[in-house]
Amino acid sequence: MPPSPLASPSTASERNRQLRRVALSGLLGTAVEFYDFLVYGTVAALVFGELFFPGADPAVGTIAAFGTFAAGYVARPLGGVLFGHFGDRLGRKSMLLLTMGLMGAASFLIGLLPTYDTIGVWAPVLLIILRVVQGIAIGGEWGGATLMVVEHAGERRRGLWSSFTQMGAPLGSLISAGVVALVVMLPEDEFAAWGWRVPFLLSVVLLGVGLFVRLKVVESPLFAEVKKEHAESRLPILDVLRRPRPVLLACCVGIGAFTAQSLLTSYLISYATGIGYARPQVLTALAVSAAVALVVLPCASALSDRVGRRPVVLAGALASAALAFPVLALVDSKSPGLLILAVVLGHGVAQSMMYGPLGALFSEMFGTRVRYTGASLGYQGATLIGAGFSPMIATSLVAGSGNGTPVALLLCGGSLITALTVCFVRETNRTSLAEAREHPTASHAQEISV
């Protein structure tokens, strides 16, 4: 008979095999989700203004396109609460299958969506609805995927193993940049007519691969124990919000990483092409940066297992703040080589150092009974504040000022918020997740204090 979905592997070799499978599932699943989510941001920067908001000033059209981009981020905390509730009540695995299916369906439908010229105002309305569905799906994905890895991993290497889920973001970005780079080689009229749809339609293939791997994993052993004892939280969100400090600190700690991610990926496409770079040059810079991030992320996460989460995140935040204006100067040089260097330094290195340890850190801040809800709410709140509105704000400020200084100020400000907040978070890399099972938000060793 097949094992129960709540069964825990009984032997060390089986546990190791399941850990590798869960890590691969987290990597592929999160890569699929971020591919779908980031393809939208890339295409929005390139053509959504003219296809879904025609007749507007180009800057206004870009702002409107990034407004729909922000809608996905607004929906992410809702997805974190919704899937967190059922993930803490019913289990991590079933929610992960559902989030992946939702994201794949929404992305495929965006690829089939008629434009404004065909159905008028219903085109942007439907686009926003599908973007919200994407946001809800990815809002529930990260928490479940990260917890599955962290709760299967041993006490000493949680950071390293959780980095597989974190690597899904640059891997998804790399795949999306590669696919978009191919379709933008089409003549401009063909890309606007049908080429932009191809990356969305291809998500069905990635969805199939991700679901195949994800179906083979077993439930988190820590949650299985909670389920066995019928100790699930009845309303996880209320248990989390009774002591809101961990969630608030998690939100603020993550702001720098997501501000950098948003400004140096999605917004960069619009800004760089606006000052004269060719689209393939910008996409090449993003692809190189994503490849560097795939190396830096596991290294930073493994280092956090040895020296602590706080020092690594703090070093990344300070580096990001210090590099904000030099990165802008490199981009403004209009040199393709210096553009690559700018994105690699700002995103591939500094942002990855901030982002890598967050999976383990956020998981360690909450007890097993509410971990899905708490970690998801903290993470998605950070994405909403740090990434959701940054491109739209940057576009508006740059249009008003006529230069890119606001971009550097936003990047520096977000990084300094992270640097300041992480000083108020107690180190968690040596705490026991098993001991946190009985506590609504954190164990005594995991208390977050000022």
Side-chain angles (χ1 to χ4, degrees):
M1 292 180 63
S4 163
L6 292 179
S8 298
S10 57
T11 65
S13 62
E14 177 61 22
R15 286 194 296 272
N16 290 334
R17 184 159 48 249
Q18 273 298 323
L19 176 57
R20 291 191 294 269
R21 186 176 294 168
V22 168
L24 177 61
S25 165
L27 174 64
L28 293 179
T30 310
V32 170
E33 299 264 355
F34 274 92
Y35 166 85
D36 290 335
F37 203 73
L38 295 173
V39 156
Y40 183 100
T42 305
V43 176
L46 295 175
V47 296
F48 273 7
E50 62 187 80
L51 292 177
F52 291 91
F53 306 94
D57 176 86
V60 175
T62 301
I63 292 171
F66 278 130
T68 65
F69 179 76
Y73 281 97
V74 171
R76 286 173 70 157
L78 174 60
V81 172
L82 178 64
F83 288 102
H85 173 83
F86 290 104
D88 284 326
R89 292 281 299 160
L90 305 177
R92 311 338 189 180
K93 177 180 175 179
S94 56
M95 294 304 105
L96 288 176
L97 294 172
L98 184 54
T99 57
M100 184 176 284
L102 274 178
M103 176 64 84
S107 298
F108 185 76
L109 289 175
I110 289 175
L112 298 177
L113 197 62
T115 62
Y116 189 93
D117 289 341
T118 304
I119 59 173
V121 71
W122 281 106
V125 169
L126 292 173
L127 181 65
I128 291 172
I129 291 173
L130 291 174
R131 181 61 176 172
V132 167
V133 173
Q134 279 192 323
I136 291 173
I138 203 169
E141 162 68 24
W142 179 87
T146 299
L147 300 193
M148 282 287 281
V149 177
V150 169
E151 291 180 349
H152 273 86
E155 299 294 337
R156 292 188 173 184
R157 303 177 70 189
R158 288 194 298 256
L160 175 61
W161 283 107
S162 70
S163 71
F164 281 83
T165 302
Q166 303 296 77
M167 288 163 65
L171 180 59
S173 177
L174 186 61
I175 298 171
S176 68
V179 172
V180 174
L182 290 176
V183 295
V184 297
M185 296 173 65
L186 293 167
E188 204 160 311
D189 57 337
E190 292 187 29
F191 176 73
W194 60 268
W196 66 270
R197 300 180 183 275
V198 173
F200 293 102
L201 299 177
L202 283 178
S203 65
V204 171
V205 178
L206 298 175
L207 174 65
V209 175
L211 286 175
F212 176 77
V213 174
R214 189 156 281 180
L215 282 167
K216 293 181 175 293
V217 303
V218 299
E219 184 57 87
S220 152
L222 292 181
F223 179 79
E225 189 65 24
V226 169
K227 191 77 173 175
K228 181 180 178 181
E229 297 178 6
H230 304 288
E232 305 96 321
S233 170
R234 296 186 62 184
L235 287 172
I237 184 65
L238 292 184
D239 284 339
V240 169
L241 294 181
R242 283 192 185 103
R243 298 179 62 205
R245 183 180 290 177
V247 170
L248 294 176
L249 287 177
C251 285
C252 293
V253 167
I255 283 175
F258 292 112
T259 301
Q261 180 188 63
S262 184
L263 292 177
L264 296 177
T265 55
S266 298
Y267 175 72
L268 181 73
I269 298 170
S270 175
Y271 179 79
T273 54
I275 63 174
Y277 287 98
R279 289 174 181 174
Q281 292 173 334
V282 183
L283 294 173
T284 297
L286 294 180
V288 173
S289 172
V292 171
L294 287 173
V295 177
V296 176
L297 277 170
C299 292
S301 301
L303 182 62
S304 78
D305 284 329
R306 298 179 64 86
V307 304
R309 319 292 183 212
R310 297 169 68 245
V312 178
V313 175
L314 179 60
L318 293 176
S320 181
L323 287 169
F325 284 93
V327 162
L328 176 65
L330 291 172
V331 174
D332 284 343
S333 71
K334 300 183 181 180
S335 165
L338 294 180
L339 173 66
I340 293 175
L341 178 62
V343 185
V344 166
L345 289 175
H347 182 261
V349 178
Q351 192 272 347
S352 295
M353 290 179 65
M354 286 189 284
Y355 183 64
L358 294 186
L361 175 61
F362 287 5
S363 299
E364 292 159 352
M365 292 168 80
F366 301 92
T368 305
R369 295 173 61 245
V370 298
R371 186 170 291 130
Y372 201 143
T373 300
S376 295
L377 195 57
Y379 182 93
Q380 303 307 338
T383 66
L384 173 61
I385 299 169
F389 298 102
S390 294
M392 188 166 51
I393 294 171
T395 302
S396 301
L397 294 177
V398 169
S401 66
N403 61 67
T405 301
V407 181
L409 289 174
L410 285 171
L411 178 58
C412 184
S415 301
L416 290 178
I417 289 173
T418 290
L420 177 63
T421 308
V422 80
C423 295
F424 296 107
V425 177
R426 182 171 293 177
E427 186 54 66
T428 61
N429 72 324
R430 295 301 183 194
T431 58
S432 171
L433 295 184
E435 291 177 1
R437 187 171 64 81
E438 299 300 330
H439 298 274
T441 52
S443 70
H444 295 300
Q446 292 165 302
E447 288 286 344
I448 309 303
S449 61
V450 176

